[in-house]
Amino acid sequence: MKDTIRKALSHVARPTAFAVGAVLLAGVALQFVSHASAEDARIIPAPAVDEKPGSGSTETTVFAGGCFWGVQGVFQHVNGVISATSGYAGGKKDTAQYETVSGGDTGHAESVRIVFDPHKVSYGHLLQIYFSVAHDPTELNYQGPDSGTQYRSAIFPTTAEQADVAKAYIGQLNHAKVFDAAIVTKIEPERQFYAAEGYHQNFLTMNPNYPYIVVNDLPKVKNLQRMFPGDYRSDPVLVAANASGN
């Protein structure tokens, strides 16, 4: 259902048009509540293996875990994150458009590129938040009400060390049986990230009353605040209107 509604708004550029769409969507809010809810967050151990911050002041990684609205919204509220941009990873540049990706056969996953200060938040700790509150890593090719490979759980590391840390952490969590089922998150190195269309950026912050956001994504941000209070920032770091390009 979410894709049908999101596609209806995919080319909306003017606030007046969006407002009309929002009014129409209000009538289906109860349908969302009846069969879709935010993934349950859970407390999980910190990674036993983590990166040591180097001399650089920034580092970049890419996470995919269902609809990018919620994943972006979570990491925009994490201290040490410099930017979190919604986009696509796993496929080719010429198919990195929302309606094409929504077909499910491009190889892309809805993803979020995270630029962070490794001296303020470690890569391993970002993984802990990703697995704990941002999505359910045991769901194969779906998250909540959304299904398809474009909603898969995937990590797109930008360095070999990130890939090693992610692999070790998945093994650690599976060995400890932290989740009720095995983690299905794939590690997909050497994949290019392409920023999503402007109307997808900061969607959670700009549309807090949107039915899908209320049911599926705002609870993730609240779980971040509740479970990681020391990492939570009340003012999200937003993507500037002119800074959402690739």
Side-chain angles (χ1 to χ4, degrees):
M1 178 183 294
K2 187 204 71 175
D3 264 353
T4 300
I5 294 172
R6 289 174 69 195
K7 287 178 181 178
L9 292 177
S10 62
H11 294 295
V12 172
R14 293 175 297 176
T16 53
F18 187 87
V20 172
V23 170
L24 296 174
L25 287 169
V28 300
L30 291 180
Q31 295 181 47
F32 276 112
V33 176
S34 67
H35 66 82
S37 59
E39 293 79 6
D40 291 332
R42 65 182 64 205
I43 297 173
I44 64 175
V49 177
D50 201 350
E51 282 188 327
K52 293 183 179 179
S55 58
S57 59
T58 65
E59 190 173 337
T60 301
T61 194
V62 177
F63 294 154
C67 175
F68 45 27
W69 294 344
V71 178
Q72 181 191 47
V74 166
F75 286 102
Q76 286 181 321
H77 281 278
V78 174
N79 282 319
V81 169
I82 297 167
S83 68
T85 305
S86 290
Y88 315 103
K92 297 179 180 179
K93 182 177 182 179
D94 60 359
T95 59
Q97 298 92 30
Y98 175 68
E99 291 200 7
T100 307
V101 171
S102 294
D105 58 0
T106 65
H108 281 296
E110 291 196 9
S111 307
V112 175
R113 178 180 59 199
I114 301 164
V115 180
F116 62 100
D117 183 342
H119 299 276
K120 294 182 178 179
V121 60
S122 73
Y123 176 69
H125 193 56
L126 292 178
L127 286 174
Q128 186 180 15
I129 292 171
Y130 166 72
F131 285 121
S132 177
V133 304
H135 82 308
D136 184 343
T138 69
E139 295 182 343
L140 181 62
N141 294 333
Y142 76 96
Q143 286 291 312
D146 307 316
S147 62
T149 58
Q150 69 272 32
Y151 299 113
R152 68 186 182 273
S153 175
I155 296 169
F156 301 93
T158 60
T159 67
E161 187 175 9
Q162 285 185 3
D164 289 343
V165 170
K167 181 179 179 180
Y169 194 31
I170 291 172
Q172 174 190 338
L173 295 176
N174 276 333
H175 180 75
K177 298 186 184 303
V178 172
F179 296 94
D180 297 332
I183 291 173
V184 298
T185 307
K186 300 298 184 183
I187 300 173
E188 303 182 34
E190 300 180 359
R191 298 291 194 273
Q192 182 65 41
F193 174 88
Y194 305 97
E197 297 82 352
Y199 57 83
H200 285 302
Q201 306 301 338
N202 311 320
F203 196 93
L204 182 149
T205 299
M206 301 301 293
N207 303 282
N209 296 319
Y210 190 82
Y212 180 90
I213 295 293
V214 171
V215 174
N216 295 282
D217 294 335
L218 287 181
K220 297 179 181 181
V221 177
K222 292 179 181 177
N223 285 333
L224 171 70
Q225 183 179 16
R226 174 175 59 87
M227 298 171 63
F228 297 93
D231 298 299
Y232 178 79
R233 58 187 298 169
S234 58
D235 295 326
V237 55
L238 301 179
V239 177
N242 61 351
S244 61
N246 297 327

